[in-house]
Amino acid sequence: MKKDPSAVKRDKESVIFGAALKVIKQKGFHKARMSDIAKEAGISYGLVYHYFNNKEDLFDAILNRWWDGLFGLMKGISEGDNDVHKKLRQIIDYFLDTYQSEPELVNIFITEISRSTTNLTSYRLDHFKKSMSLTEEIIAEGQKKQLLRTDIKARYLTYMFLGSVETFLSTMVLVDQKIKGDTQKERIAQSILEVFLNGARNQKNL
Amino acid sequence: MKKDPSAVKRDKESVIFGAALKVIKQKGFHKARMSDIAKEAGISYGLVYHYFNNKEDLFDAILNRWWDGLFGLMKGISEGDNDVHKKLRQIIDYFLDTYQSEPELVNIFITEISRSTTNLTSYRLDHFKKSMSLTEEIIAEGQKKQLLRTDIKARYLTYMFLGSVETFLSTMVLVDQKIKGDTQKERIAQSILEVFLNGARNQKNL
Amino acid sequence: MKKDPSAVKRDKESVIFGAALKVIKQKGFHKARMSDIAKEAGISYGLVYHYFNNKEDLFDAILNRWWDGLFGLMKGISEGDNDVHKKLRQIIDYFLDTYQSEPELVNIFITEISRSTTNLTSYRLDHFKKSMSLTEEIIAEGQKKQLLRTDIKARYLTYMFLGSVETFLSTMVLVDQKIKGDTQKERIAQSILEVFLNGARNQKNL
Amino acid sequence: MKKDPSAVKRDKESVIFGAALKVIKQKGFHKARMSDIAKEAGISYGLVYHYFNNKEDLFDAILNRWWDGLFGLMKGISEGDNDVHKKLRQIIDYFLDTYQSEPELVNIFITEISRSTTNLTSYRLDHFKKSMSLTEEIIAEGQKKQLLRTDIKARYLTYMFLGSVETFLSTMVLVDQKIKGDTQKERIAQSILEVFLNGARNQKNL
DNA sequence: TATGAATGAGGGTTCATTCAT
DNA sequence: AATGAATGAACCCTCATTCAT
């Protein structure tokens, strides 16, 4: 039985996509060669251009996988009526879950986009700003409901929240550390949320 | 009156250094061409190589400016007997002050080193780990003195602290935002410290 | 009818090889530019790098053509049971025949390897020493069979034999002189062998 | 007491000359940098240009030292009325003596000029041809006096004679071997002359 | 004389992209 | 769909030479 041709197309595209993830993670976008990706995918390098217009497009496809997931989640969160804590926890979970299932994807997001201006086109910057804004909305909503302090700008709180999450991941990325099971994931998530909400100060000492 | 020749040498080196800062900030290390830097410095192509062996060395010189400053500060902090809050505040100030005086330097640190594994030589990784460790020591000391909570690993708290600081800066870097005067700097520093220590939760609501 | 692809590959490689021979002969290895070779081969710049890793490899490929031929011959000579005179004549013939069929190859061997230490890697030096040793074996065998004088070290005789051959060729190379037909080749070969074996002294005068 | 200024000039020139010999011997003309030579001479590299117009001139100065010595000798030989054997021996001695006193000079002659066409300007080629012709005259004279066989062209005999001498030296040069004392020199000189005149054949076997 | 800063033309190599098959 | 030969624009780095001091 023959496969559906468009399914075949998607298959091969996936293979290339996965190869790109792996190679870009290892070498970074700049040093990753199209031929490396093709070799990793087990195809000729000319063929990559049948599925992706050029290197930039391939890169954007990867980033969009990240953003689509995140924006999809955030949309869901916005529409739900959980309290702020739950919502922030969901964002943390998205980062950690994705890191577990597709570590390369998170790696690339962290190293090539989250901070680097090098690869930053205005198109990509827009995505970045959008994620900031969506998080900020959640935070602001928490402030409005008196669940979060209001003496500090929502934007500032957003920086600190996302910064905490990202630094956790980027350090794990740097040392190539995996999350060992759901227990560890739970502890990390709890710690981030706990400290963000209640601070690092020893409360008993107040 | 003749100039001291070695002063002239330092001068020109500074010019090149400054040009490199500017160009690398704009284009990123990879896309920054030595010819761009020379042009920016207003000198000929080959002269850059009189002062720096190659592109990597020039890059490392820039990074060392950052690390030397940070490690110098941290050394001073360790030896002082301020409490944790003051010490953390000093670290925050170093980031913000440097961002005010040499925004490109901070930009490059944030975009090219803090997260990117692309340019990460083991030599550079060592610096990175060292800064983590030094901060962790301060945090751990705070835990020991019962000033910081001990139910969360010092390392985790370190991630969150540095992550908060860095994300603040990296967002400013991304949108090329300057710190407008000491008032804004003070507010930012306060916010970071306040939230890290006391959390984002509205305490009145407990 | 389609060509066998690997045949095409060999063809193009040959074209580049030939172009390299010509250009390196004319300008010497150092002054020969890869772009010159590409232009001579009628191909684009980068294509040379499809077939040869770099300039050194291309150079080595040329040298190996020479050494492979020479060592192949010497192996054949060793295994044969001709007398010394025949064997030495075969070596002379290899030089002269190759000079007729591929003058550039001999030229490059003479000018860039035989004497120059400039381009001498240890890999290349080994080839050189091997050719010396193989010739010395033949000479030594001749001494053992009482066909050559034994009051002079085999190694010294080897120098003189190969030196005579090489100088013949190098002078022809220097003035870009071709061997005009087999008659001249025969006379040259005979002269070299005759003088090496019987000396330049007028025997009638002894 | 002050030195005669022109003597000082000659002194410094000598130092540079010696440094050039050493560096060019080690690296070859192409890879020898003017700065290497200056450093070896212990002076700034700008100063080299006070004494020599450019790199080529410096190179030619070196070569002229060789040629002047050789041509001076050959002039003396021509005018003397020694027999051929003595004269050829004098040429051999010039090579060996110079190799003992100034090994770098011989090295450079052998590796960069004797065979290499790379550095061959027409000016240098003329010197080379002249040395060939002068040697040929001596050989031809020997033929005329019935001391050398006449069935082989004087030019061919010249090739073989000079080739033998040069190959001896170039092998020593290649392996950086020194001549150990006058005894070894005598043996080498004798061997070369003996074989050239009487051949390598075991005469007892005739 | 003497220094070494300054210049800039080259040359080797890489690699994204195109295209004939 | 698939291959990989072919192209050529970049870009790093070297180093002979000049020149202000």
Side-chain angles (χ1 to χ4, degrees):
Chain A
M1 193 184 85
K2 278 192 183 180
K3 277 192 175 180
D4 166 18
S6 76
V8 172
K9 170 155 183 167
R10 264 200 314 285
D11 280 1
K12 186 74 57 127
E13 209 174 289
S14 287
V15 171
I16 297 172
F17 192 95
L21 273 181
K22 190 167 175 184
V23 174
I24 293 177
K25 184 219 140 172
Q26 248 172 28
K27 307 192 151 196
F29 177 66
H30 242 103
K31 288 183 184 160
R33 283 165 295 189
M34 291 298 262
S35 61
D36 291 329
I37 293 169
K39 189 182 289 176
E40 178 66 37
I43 58 169
S44 77
Y45 53 89
L47 192 55
V48 178
Y49 287 87
H50 267 272
Y51 293 93
F52 299 92
N53 287 321
N54 53 42
K55 202 181 167 187
E56 288 286 322
D57 276 15
L58 177 51
F59 192 36
D60 278 331
I62 291 174
L63 298 183
N64 284 334
R65 169 103 120 225
W66 169 263
W67 291 123
D68 288 350
L70 184 60
F71 293 152
L73 172 89
M74 287 180 164
K75 195 171 173 321
I77 290 177
S78 287
E79 289 163 357
D81 46 72
N82 285 318
D83 65 18
V84 188
H85 309 172
K86 282 262 173 56
K87 289 180 173 177
L88 294 180
R89 174 61 198 256
Q90 283 178 286
I91 290 175
I92 294 172
D93 283 341
Y94 178 73
F95 277 84
L96 296 181
D97 289 344
T98 310
Y99 187 59
Q100 278 187 302
S101 61
E102 296 185 280
E104 291 98 344
L105 186 58
V106 179
N107 188 307
I108 292 169
F109 168 73
I110 291 285
T111 59
E112 304 274 346
I113 290 302
S114 171
R115 300 296 169 92
S116 174
T117 47
T118 306
N119 301 313
L120 213 54
T121 61
S122 67
Y123 169 73
R124 287 173 200 150
L125 185 56
D126 288 343
H127 278 92
F128 190 80
K129 288 180 173 170
K130 185 176 169 189
S131 74
M132 275 283 176
S133 297
L134 288 175
T135 309
E136 191 178 344
E137 280 175 27
I138 294 170
I139 300 257
E141 191 201 345
Q143 289 180 316
K144 209 167 142 196
K145 294 191 180 164
Q146 299 291 327
L147 292 167
L148 297 179
R149 58 198 297 173
T150 52
D151 58 331
I152 291 174
K153 283 189 191 177
R155 171 133 298 228
Y156 287 179
L157 291 178
T158 304
Y159 290 168
M160 300 193 67
F161 174 70
L162 289 179
S164 299
V165 179
E166 283 181 15
T167 305
F168 248 103
L169 281 171
S170 59
T171 312
M172 301 186 87
V173 154
L174 266 183
V175 298
D176 214 12
Q177 186 193 324
K178 298 275 177 285
I179 296 181
K180 297 157 201 146
D182 287 344
T183 318
Q184 192 188 16
K185 199 200 95 181
E186 186 61 29
R187 188 165 61 247
I188 291 172
Q190 268 300 338
S191 299
I192 296 174
L193 199 56
E194 172 70 21
V195 175
F196 177 69
L197 291 176
N198 298 317
R201 189 193 300 274
N202 185 347
Q203 304 291 335
K204 300 171 200 155
N205 251 11
L206 282 178
Chain B
M1 198 185 79
K2 279 188 185 178
K3 275 192 175 181
D4 167 17
S6 76
V8 172
K9 173 154 182 168
R10 266 200 313 284
D11 280 2
K12 188 65 60 109
E13 208 174 291
S14 290
V15 171
I16 297 172
F17 193 96
L21 274 180
K22 189 169 175 184
V23 173
I24 293 178
K25 185 218 136 174
Q26 244 171 34
K27 306 192 153 196
F29 176 67
H30 243 104
K31 286 184 185 158
R33 285 164 293 181
M34 289 301 261
S35 63
D36 292 329
I37 292 169
K39 192 179 288 175
E40 177 66 36
I43 57 169
S44 81
Y45 196 85
L47 192 56
V48 180
Y49 288 88
H50 257 274
Y51 293 93
F52 299 93
N53 287 321
N54 52 43
K55 205 181 165 186
E56 286 286 322
D57 275 17
L58 177 50
F59 192 37
D60 278 331
I62 290 175
L63 299 182
N64 283 335
R65 168 104 120 225
W66 168 263
W67 291 123
D68 288 351
L70 184 60
F71 291 151
L73 172 89
M74 287 181 163
K75 194 172 174 325
I77 290 178
S78 288
E79 290 164 357
D81 47 78
N82 286 317
D83 66 18
V84 189
H85 309 171
K86 281 261 170 60
K87 289 179 173 179
L88 296 180
R89 173 64 197 255
Q90 283 178 286
I91 292 176
I92 294 172
D93 282 342
Y94 179 73
F95 277 83
L96 296 181
D97 289 344
T98 310
Y99 187 59
Q100 277 186 301
S101 61
E102 297 184 279
E104 290 98 344
L105 185 59
V106 178
N107 187 305
I108 291 170
F109 168 73
I110 292 285
T111 58
E112 304 273 347
I113 288 301
S114 173
R115 300 298 169 90
S116 173
T117 48
T118 306
N119 301 313
L120 214 53
T121 61
S122 68
Y123 169 73
R124 287 172 199 150
L125 185 56
D126 287 343
H127 278 93
F128 189 79
K129 287 181 174 170
K130 185 177 169 189
S131 74
M132 274 284 176
S133 295
L134 288 175
T135 308
E136 191 177 343
E137 280 175 26
I138 295 170
I139 300 255
E141 191 200 347
Q143 290 180 316
K144 210 169 142 195
K145 294 190 181 166
Q146 301 291 329
L147 292 167
L148 297 179
R149 59 197 296 173
T150 53
D151 58 331
I152 290 174
K153 284 189 193 177
R155 171 130 299 226
Y156 286 1
L157 291 178
T158 305
Y159 291 169
M160 300 192 68
F161 173 70
L162 289 179
S164 299
V165 180
E166 284 181 13
T167 305
F168 247 105
L169 281 171
S170 61
T171 313
M172 300 186 87
V173 153
L174 268 182
V175 298
D176 215 12
Q177 187 193 324
K178 297 274 177 288
I179 295 181
K180 296 156 201 147
D182 287 344
T183 318
Q184 192 187 15
K185 197 200 96 180
E186 186 61 29
R187 188 165 62 244
I188 291 171
Q190 268 300 341
S191 301
I192 296 174
L193 199 56
E194 172 70 21
V195 174
F196 176 69
L197 292 175
N198 298 317
R201 188 193 299 274
N202 187 346
Q203 304 290 335
K204 300 172 201 152
N205 252 10
L206 283 178
Chain C
M1 197 186 80
K2 279 188 185 181
K3 276 191 175 182
D4 167 18
S6 75
V8 172
K9 173 155 183 167
R10 263 199 315 284
D11 280 1
K12 187 68 59 115
E13 208 173 290
S14 289
V15 171
I16 297 172
F17 193 95
L21 274 180
K22 189 168 175 185
V23 174
I24 292 177
K25 185 219 136 173
Q26 246 171 32
K27 307 194 153 196
F29 176 66
H30 243 104
K31 287 185 185 157
R33 284 165 294 183
M34 290 299 262
S35 62
D36 292 329
I37 293 169
K39 191 179 289 175
E40 177 66 37
I43 58 169
S44 82
Y45 199 86
L47 190 56
V48 180
Y49 288 88
H50 256 275
Y51 293 93
F52 299 93
N53 287 321
N54 51 41
K55 205 182 165 187
E56 286 286 322
D57 276 16
L58 178 50
F59 192 37
D60 278 331
I62 290 175
L63 299 183
N64 283 335
R65 169 103 120 223
W66 169 263
W67 292 122
D68 288 351
L70 183 60
F71 292 152
L73 171 89
M74 287 181 163
K75 195 172 174 322
I77 290 177
S78 288
E79 289 163 357
D81 46 74
N82 285 319
D83 65 19
V84 188
H85 308 171
K86 281 261 172 56
K87 288 179 172 179
L88 295 180
R89 173 62 199 255
Q90 281 178 287
I91 291 176
I92 294 172
D93 282 342
Y94 178 73
F95 277 82
L96 296 180
D97 288 345
T98 310
Y99 187 59
Q100 278 187 302
S101 61
E102 297 185 279
E104 291 97 344
L105 185 58
V106 178
N107 186 307
I108 292 170
F109 168 73
I110 292 284
T111 60
E112 305 273 348
I113 289 301
S114 172
R115 301 298 169 91
S116 173
T117 49
T118 305
N119 301 313
L120 212 54
T121 61
S122 68
Y123 169 73
R124 288 173 199 149
L125 185 57
D126 287 344
H127 277 92
F128 189 78
K129 287 180 174 170
K130 185 176 169 190
S131 73
M132 275 281 176
S133 296
L134 288 174
T135 309
E136 192 178 341
E137 280 175 27
I138 295 170
I139 301 254
E141 190 201 347
Q143 290 181 315
K144 210 169 143 196
K145 294 191 181 166
Q146 300 290 330
L147 291 167
L148 297 178
R149 58 196 297 171
T150 52
D151 58 332
I152 291 174
K153 284 188 191 177
R155 173 129 297 225
Y156 286 0
L157 290 179
T158 304
Y159 291 168
M160 300 193 67
F161 174 69
L162 288 179
S164 299
V165 180
E166 285 181 13
T167 305
F168 246 103
L169 281 170
S170 60
T171 313
M172 301 184 87
V173 153
L174 269 183
V175 298
D176 215 11
Q177 186 193 326
K178 299 273 177 288
I179 296 180
K180 296 156 202 145
D182 287 344
T183 318
Q184 192 187 14
K185 198 199 95 179
E186 186 61 30
R187 190 165 60 246
I188 292 171
Q190 268 301 339
S191 300
I192 295 174
L193 199 57
E194 171 71 20
V195 174
F196 176 70
L197 292 176
N198 297 318
R201 190 193 299 273
N202 186 345
Q203 305 291 336
K204 300 171 200 154
N205 251 9
L206 283 178
Chain D
M1 196 185 83
K2 280 191 180 177
K3 277 191 174 181
D4 166 19
S6 74
V8 172
K9 170 154 184 169
R10 265 199 314 284
D11 280 2
K12 185 74 58 123
E13 210 175 288
S14 286
V15 171
I16 297 172
F17 192 95
L21 273 180
K22 190 167 173 184
V23 174
I24 293 177
K25 184 219 139 172
Q26 247 172 30
K27 307 191 151 196
F29 177 66
H30 241 104
K31 287 182 184 160
R33 283 165 295 188
M34 289 300 260
S35 62
D36 292 328
I37 293 168
K39 189 182 287 176
E40 178 66 37
I43 57 169
S44 76
Y45 54 88
L47 192 55
V48 178
Y49 287 86
H50 268 273
Y51 294 92
F52 299 93
N53 287 320
N54 53 42
K55 203 181 166 187
E56 287 286 322
D57 276 16
L58 177 51
F59 193 37
D60 278 331
I62 291 174
L63 299 183
N64 284 334
R65 167 103 121 224
W66 168 264
W67 292 124
D68 288 351
L70 184 60
F71 293 153
L73 172 90
M74 287 181 164
K75 194 172 173 322
I77 290 177
S78 287
E79 288 164 357
D81 45 76
N82 285 320
D83 66 18
V84 188
H85 308 171
K86 282 262 172 57
K87 288 178 173 177
L88 294 181
R89 174 63 197 256
Q90 282 177 286
I91 291 176
I92 294 172
D93 282 342
Y94 179 74
F95 278 84
L96 296 181
D97 288 343
T98 309
Y99 186 59
Q100 277 187 300
S101 60
E102 297 185 278
E104 291 97 344
L105 185 59
V106 178
N107 187 306
I108 292 170
F109 168 72
I110 292 286
T111 59
E112 303 274 347
I113 289 301
S114 172
R115 300 297 169 90
S116 175
T117 49
T118 306
N119 301 311
L120 213 54
T121 60
S122 68
Y123 168 73
R124 287 174 200 149
L125 185 57
D126 287 343
H127 277 93
F128 190 79
K129 288 180 174 170
K130 184 177 168 190
S131 74
M132 274 284 176
S133 296
L134 287 174
T135 310
E136 191 177 344
E137 280 175 27
I138 294 170
I139 300 258
E141 191 200 345
Q143 289 180 316
K144 210 168 143 197
K145 294 191 180 167
Q146 299 291 326
L147 292 166
L148 297 178
R149 58 198 295 172
T150 53
D151 58 330
I152 290 174
K153 284 190 191 177
R155 169 131 301 226
Y156 286 0
L157 290 178
T158 304
Y159 291 168
M160 300 193 67
F161 174 69
L162 289 179
S164 299
V165 179
E166 284 180 13
T167 305
F168 247 104
L169 280 171
S170 59
T171 312
M172 300 185 88
V173 153
L174 266 184
V175 298
D176 215 11
Q177 187 193 325
K178 299 273 176 288
I179 296 180
K180 298 157 201 147
D182 287 344
T183 318
Q184 192 187 16
K185 200 199 95 179
E186 186 61 30
R187 188 164 62 246
I188 292 172
Q190 267 301 338
S191 300
I192 295 174
L193 198 57
E194 171 71 22
V195 174
F196 176 69
L197 292 175
N198 299 317
R201 188 193 298 274
N202 187 346
Q203 304 290 335
K204 300 172 200 151
N205 251 10
L206 282 178

